[in-house]
Amino acid sequence: GAGAGASKKKDLSPPRRGGLLSAKEMREDMLLQEARKAEKLAEMALQSQGGAETVHRDKSGKRIDVKLEKLKQKEEERAKELKALENMKWGRGIAQFEDYERRREEEARVAA
């Protein structure tokens, strides 16, 4: 019916002519169509730029807060660095280091 076409916007431009057209008329018609198409694309682009933020999700579909994830990652890196420093200390031999410190302190006392 009659109500089906009423909801769509009416195109105020003149309808395309049918029948035999000259090259000039065809060119003008094509330019008009391209201009309308460009207008519609520009309008759609403006509408789609609503400023919505990207939503990141994990494998299970839960939302991820990117800033929070970066903070967690930095904390993990710091923890790894501290553990690496601790491992370096253990790798040198704590007993040998303590012996070295005691000898140094004794030498300082004897020299004084």
Side-chain angles (χ1 to χ4, degrees), residues 57-103:
R57 298 185 183 271
D58 63 3
K59 290 179 184 178
S60 65
K62 294 180 184 174
R63 282 185 166 195
I64 298 174
D65 186 0
V66 178
K67 293 175 186 174
L68 187 62
E69 286 295 318
K70 285 183 182 181
L71 285 174
K72 283 183 184 177
Q73 194 171 20
K74 285 182 183 181
E75 287 295 321
E76 287 174 4
E77 287 176 12
R78 287 185 197 138
K80 282 183 183 180
E81 287 177 11
L82 289 174
K83 191 164 189 164
L85 287 173
E86 188 73 24
N87 286 339
M88 286 174 57
K89 186 176 179 181
W90 279 99
R92 289 190 206 135
I94 291 178
Q96 290 85 350
F97 183 73
E98 288 174 354
D99 285 344
Y100 170 75
E101 287 292 318
R102 267 190 250 121
R103 274 191 240 123

Side-chain angles (χ1 to χ4, degrees), residues 11-60:
D11 194 8
L12 299 176
S13 58
R16 292 177 68 179
R17 280 186 36 209
L20 205 54
L21 300 175
S22 68
K24 183 180 177 186
E25 290 172 329
M26 284 181 67
R27 197 174 311 114
E28 287 173 358
D29 192 34
M30 281 179 35
L31 289 173
L32 270 174
Q33 285 180 13
E34 287 176 10
R36 282 189 212 133
K37 191 174 184 180
E39 275 182 39
K40 284 183 182 180
L41 285 174
E43 184 179 319
M44 286 172 52
L46 285 174
Q47 288 176 353
S48 69
Q49 292 176 353
E53 288 188 32
T54 304
V55 175
H56 297 276
R57 298 185 183 271
D58 63 3
K59 290 179 184 178
S60 65

